[in-house]
Amino acid sequence: PPKVRAEALRACGSLVKPLEAAVHQGEADAKDASEVAGSVFAVVHGEMVQGEADLEVRETAIGAMAMLLAKLGDHPLRQGGPAAQAALEVMAKRLRNEVTRMVSLRALTRIVSSPRLPATALLAHLDAPTLRQYLRSTSSPLKHHTVQFLTSLCKRIQDEAKSEGVDMEDTKKGDGGAKEGAATAAAAAATAATMLASLVPDVAVHVSEKDLYLSRLSLDLLGEVLVLTKGQQQQGRAQGATTAAAPLLSAAAAETIAVRVLMFIRSPLIQGAALDATIRVCARLAVTPVAGGEGAARQKAKGAADGGDWLGLPPLCSRLMHGVDSKLPERNYAAVARCFAAVVAAAYDAASGDDSA
């Protein structure tokens, strides 16, 4: 019966923690635990691939598989069961299903937040059109979960790129394996940056006072995307002219972020975490490179730093001050001042870094 199968899948999820302890910590019975883990993987995967009509069974199977992948992944000691890529492929199909897309988003967020699987394993199964459709949905929970997932993905990509970047410095002596790992991480970061940059307009539109929670989540994501795109540009410089050009944020996407942020900062409701996220976005937006020759020409005309490290838009400080008028609520003066200070500090730090380089 479906109810019994659903409870059995929950029991499989409950086994993950003791199995993880046995497999990863090298206990005496690690071999037995590895065989059990493989059997559990096979059972849960079998339930996922079935065209089960019962929603509870489908959801519990997805949740159990998410716990297994997040805790065990493709551990070399695991014996039996499907490969992680096979499980992720099925989960990606469930993500495109209207009935299971919410639980799939939560599952993928759990997986991408875990270090057991590289982000490259997940990127191969994601497509921007599906995520863009969810960002444009009328369902608030769906938009919340989509933005949270993208934020977790962006942070994970950055963490992997940083760790491989350290290895890359050590590979100048000829460590081929480390060079290969660094190249894989760089390719994953480039793929993620391109996909996330294409979603910026659909994320930025949610920065408003209509849904402060969604606004804060969207600002967090936009801030991480700005960090990722700038990091890609800096990595391209460090690797020299022979490396393919790093993906940059388009001037139109950057302008969309700026417009939404400048509108949001005038809201009398802005405070707390939403305000802090707004300040971070302003600071990162001021020093993020953008694509487009016209933007570069404008930034030089305005006296911005050389090298393309400044946003190709009218200086944010001028736009922030232009928004201060008699209609602005008194409490928003402090918000504008904090954003102004953050932009100046970020620009100074970026210029100092360029000078030292």
Side-chain angles (χ1 to χ4, degrees), residues 67-344:
M67 294 183 67
L68 286 166
L69 290 175
K71 297 297 184 180
L72 296 175
D74 267 340
H75 194 279
L77 293 180
R78 175 163 67 87
Q79 300 180 15
Q85 285 291 348
L88 288 173
E89 183 178 357
V90 177
M91 197 167 291
K93 293 180 180 178
R94 298 292 178 265
L95 178 63
R96 300 181 185 95
N97 187 293
E98 184 176 358
V99 178
T100 56
R101 60 190 182 185
M102 195 79 74
V103 67
S104 297
L105 276 171
R106 290 195 295 266
L108 290 173
T109 302
R110 177 192 288 268
I111 293 170
V112 79
S113 301
S114 168
R116 299 301 182 193
L117 283 176
T120 51
L122 183 58
L123 282 173
H125 304 288
L126 297 177
D127 61 284
T130 299
L131 296 170
R132 183 176 294 108
Q133 176 186 350
Y134 294 168
L135 289 171
R136 296 177 179 179
S137 170
T138 57
S139 170
S140 293
L142 180 59
K143 289 184 285 191
H144 292 170
H145 285 301
T146 303
V147 174
Q148 288 173 327
F149 164 66
L150 291 174
T151 303
S152 298
L153 175 65
C154 194
K155 290 180 178 179
R156 179 65 190 285
I157 289 291
Q158 291 179 57
D159 292 340
E160 289 187 1
K162 288 178 182 178
S163 63
E164 293 294 347
V166 175
D167 294 337
M168 190 183 302
E169 294 296 324
D170 297 334
T171 60
K172 294 179 180 179
K173 297 180 180 181
D175 188 345
K179 287 182 178 180
E180 183 178 354
T184 302
T191 301
T194 301
M195 181 185 71
L196 290 167
S198 70
L199 296 174
V200 161
D202 298 288
V203 176
V205 73
H206 297 307
V207 179
S208 69
E209 60 183 17
K210 294 180 180 179
D211 186 338
L212 290 180
Y213 179 60
L214 180 58
S215 294
R216 196 263 296 173
L217 293 177
S218 300
L219 286 165
D220 286 340
L221 174 55
L222 292 172
E224 296 299 332
V225 172
L226 291 173
V227 172
L228 181 61
T229 54
K230 182 171 177 61
Q232 284 293 291
Q233 191 258 2
Q234 291 176 336
Q235 184 180 8
R237 283 185 183 178
Q239 292 178 351
T242 58
T243 304
L248 299 182
L249 196 68
S250 69
E255 173 67 13
T256 301
I257 297 175
V259 169
R260 301 303 299 192
V261 167
L262 292 171
M263 290 174 58
F264 186 57
I265 204 172
R266 295 180 61 87
S267 170
L269 301 178
I270 187 172
Q271 60 180 332
L275 175 58
D276 293 338
T278 303
I279 294 170
R280 287 194 297 271
V281 169
C282 284
R284 293 168 181 176
L285 191 62
V287 293
T288 298
V290 298
E294 294 182 1
R298 286 199 302 272
Q299 73 181 23
K300 290 184 179 180
K302 294 292 183 179
D306 292 332
D309 279 340
W310 280 59
L311 185 63
L313 301 168
L316 281 177
C317 288
S318 299
R319 299 181 73 170
L320 285 167
M321 294 304 298
H322 183 72
V324 178
D325 52 38
S326 59
K327 297 181 180 179
L328 189 68
E330 183 176 350
R331 63 183 299 176
N332 290 71
Y333 281 89
V336 173
R338 291 180 63 185
C339 290
F340 189 98
V343 168
V344 172

